[in-house]
Amino acid sequence: MQMTRHYLTLLLMLCCVSAQPQGREKYEYMRNLPVYADSLIADLTYPLAWGNSDIRDFDAWKRAAREKVFDCMLTPPPAPVNGFEAKVLYEEQREGYKARKLEIRLSRYYTVPAYMLIPDGDGPFPAVNVLHDHGAHLFIGKEKVIRPLACEDSVVISDAEAWVQNYEGQYFGDYLAQHGFVVFSSDAPMWGERGQKEGPRRDKYDMIAGNMMMYGIDLSAYMTYDDIRATDYLASLPEVDPKRIGCTGWSMGAYRTWMLSALSDRIKAGAAVCWMVTTDEQLSFRYKRTENGGFANCLPGLRRWLDYPHIASIACPKPMLFINGSQDKLFPVAGVQKAFTIMHDVWRSQGADDRFETELWDMPHSCPLRAQERVLQFFQKFL
């Protein structure tokens, strides 16, 4: 009888749990945003943006803005004690260029796997750091933009072959190498061979990013710090002309592109495909969106000082190309156009608007062959 009462009690508890409503009558968050999102946006005045800041000398403004960005990126990974300590793990000859798999020490904490493509012939060559995308697909990183080497597991190779369809079947990095550029690409933290032991899961990214903040560091910032140091490594190579280094990428790779262009003097030109917007459009209720941003581009407190296009403007007067899609559901056209206008105003204020190119194409969130060709032409012009 006592056992029966125990089971009845348990059954009643389970029924009560299953009958619980999905939400309370009073709430403060919906659609992944606070209900007062519009008020938060209205209070963002971006006092350090060029034109808003009381700093009138452009070079002085760039130094101050860059310093604020680094401050919001929190503690950087400690530099390697004995330099980059790069190792060549594998090399193969491709048509017109060599492909190498490397392991590079970018920090005292860790080494980073990378691919590099080197054109045949005598260098030094212009170089491009090709920055891979997010795509909520973490199993591969560098292999998204450079064809995997023969040393890789067949699962990695087949996964890359499936993912490259987002680039219309063409590996962006190999395409640039075929046209005479040294190409470099490394795994970002949490992607590829820098992933989680338990396997790649998108829902764990945010949890790990939150845990990293408990150490006083920022996972998105580590990605950018690594991109800066990897570019320093690239500039040190005898095959590379350090005065002709660019960077490019699609989606999160585009975010990485303009961040790297803004924060590294090594980068002479940048081309970003499908990542630019203003916060007032990205984080508003105006659009039926399932994702408004995330830890992959989150730097604590920075929005109180600078918006995305203001940060990208630190790259001025470098040549920059931005391509976005009018059918891209991640970046509302209104926000893209506002961002483009802000950046054009900055380049124009420095007499460099002819070095700043923005294009809005009739396409979804993608990096088609014609976008890759456009980026190639841009680099051929400026590198």
Side-chain angles (χ1 to χ4, degrees), residues 345-363:
D345 286 345
V346 175
W347 262 260
R348 190 177 299 112
S349 75
Q350 302 307 305
D353 200 42
D354 60 334
R355 297 162 67 84
F356 186 75
E357 304 177 29
T358 57
E359 299 174 4
L360 189 63
W361 294 8
D362 182 14
M363 70 176 189

Side-chain angles (χ1 to χ4, degrees), residues 203-321:
D203 61 336
K204 295 298 184 183
Y205 183 97
D206 294 345
M207 183 178 293
I208 290 172
N211 288 340
M212 295 285 273
M213 285 186 177
M214 298 297 287
Y215 294 108
I217 58 180
D218 181 83
L219 188 58
S220 175
Y222 262 42
M223 176 173 66
T224 298
Y225 280 126
D226 286 348
D227 289 342
I228 293 170
R229 284 191 181 152
T231 305
D232 289 341
Y233 166 74
L234 189 58
S236 73
L237 300 176
E239 299 93 341
V240 172
D241 181 347
K243 296 181 180 179
R244 293 190 292 160
I245 299 177
C247 60
T248 190
W250 165 61
S251 194
M252 184 183 77
Y255 166 84
R256 296 167 69 187
T257 290
W258 54 257
M259 281 290 290
L260 179 58
S261 299
L263 300 180
S264 172
D265 291 332
R266 298 284 190 188
I267 296 297
K268 305 305 179 184
V273 182
C274 289
W275 209 120
M276 180 45 70
V277 72
T278 53
T279 297
D280 63 334
E281 299 292 336
Q282 182 195 37
L283 291 172
S284 75
F285 285 112
R286 283 191 284 273
Y287 309 97
K288 294 180 179 180
R289 307 180 61 205
T290 58
E291 183 176 342
N292 298 83
F295 278 112
N297 59 278
C298 176
L299 302 179
L302 184 55
R303 207 58 66 242
R304 291 292 171 179
W305 299 96
L306 298 158
D307 201 358
Y308 300 119
H310 305 140
I311 301 165
S313 294
I314 300 171
C316 178
K318 296 176 185 178
M320 295 290 295
L321 168 67

